[in-house]
Amino acid sequence: MNIVFVGLNGVPNRKRAADARLGAFIQLLSESHEVTVMGASPLDAVRILRMKHVDMLHVYCGHYLQILFYWLLSRIIGARVVYQYVEYRSAFHWDNGRKKKWLIKQYQRLNGYLCDHYGARLWDGCIAISDCLRDRALEVNPRLKVLKVTPLCDIQQFEQNTLSNPVGRPYIFYCGNQEYLDVAETIQKAYDQSILK
């Protein structure tokens, strides 16, 4: 099988969480498949069109227009789209105190809505990091083939953002992106109430 990783520039050489995750997938899949890693530039799309045969586009991106573009490209070359589903984009609170232009905020809201409510219709499969994302993708596309590969924790356990311990045992509550303001505030409140202070 010929697999092409697309959608994010610099993979797996930059030191982001996405690079570690995708690097592990690339290494694992390279053992038994032909794997090519490309970025998100138009030149990469031309390179894909020139390839002899592509079975799967492994897409990692956060923009609906990119997802739509890779879906269209996949239909032209006869490949399947497998999406790396790591964020429920509608959960971002874009009015989190940062000074952003009104138009950018509106784009981010619309993009989040389109990604979460229509994106899965364009995927043939997805790799979800949580039960929550798996379930949300299946609500949009019930025929979707889904593989759940979790990171260190499942955010669904913390969705209610309470300061009580929903797991029933000690755990680490982690916020991986500054855009998750509600999660960051919950962590700060828990720290303020803790005995570690």
Side-chain angles (χ1 to χ4, degrees), residues 74-99:
S74 75
R75 294 312 175 249
I76 292 169
I77 63 174
R80 293 192 172 151
V81 172
V82 174
Y83 185 74
Q84 186 85 216
Y85 199 19
V86 298
E87 292 178 326
Y88 188 67
R89 308 244 1 129
S90 299
F92 285 109
H93 294 284
W94 300 108
D95 292 328
N96 61 5
R98 293 165 132 209
K99 292 185 178 179

Side-chain angles (χ1 to χ4, degrees), residues 38-120:
M38 296 189 187
S41 76
L43 289 176
D44 290 324
V46 171
R47 286 176 52 209
I48 292 169
L49 287 169
R50 290 184 176 173
M51 293 178 79
K52 277 187 185 179
H53 180 72
V54 176
D55 296 297
M56 177 176 42
L57 291 179
H58 181 284
V59 179
Y60 189 105
C61 66
H63 297 277
Y64 183 77
L65 290 177
Q66 273 185 294
I67 296 168
L68 182 61
F69 171 77
Y70 289 121
W71 176 82
L72 288 169
L73 183 61
S74 75
R75 294 312 175 249
I76 292 169
I77 63 174
R80 293 192 172 151
V81 172
V82 174
Y83 185 74
Q84 186 85 216
Y85 199 19
V86 298
E87 292 178 326
Y88 188 67
R89 308 244 1 129
S90 299
F92 285 109
H93 294 284
W94 300 108
D95 292 328
N96 61 5
R98 293 165 132 209
K99 292 185 178 179
K100 288 189 178 178
K101 296 192 186 263
W102 178 86
L103 188 58
I104 293 171
K105 289 179 186 179
Q106 299 313 309
Y107 165 77
Q108 290 170 328
R109 283 190 187 107
L110 177 62
N111 180 64
Y113 180 83
L114 291 172
C115 283
D116 296 331
H117 293 89
Y118 297 98

Side-chain angles (χ1 to χ4, degrees), residues 158 161-163 173 181-191:
F158 311 106
N161 289 330
T162 62
L163 294 179
F173 192 17
L181 184 63
D182 54 338
V183 175
E185 287 174 347
T186 299
I187 292 170
Q188 180 66 44
K189 287 177 190 173
Y191 175 77

Side-chain angles (χ1 to χ4, degrees), residues 6 10 20 27 29 40 44 62 82 88 97 104 133 148-149 165 188 191:
V6 294
Q27 183 179 5
L29 292 171
D44 290 324
V82 174
Y88 188 67
I104 293 171
L133 291 176
K148 184 179 97 171
V149 179
N165 185 337
Q188 180 66 44
Y191 175 77

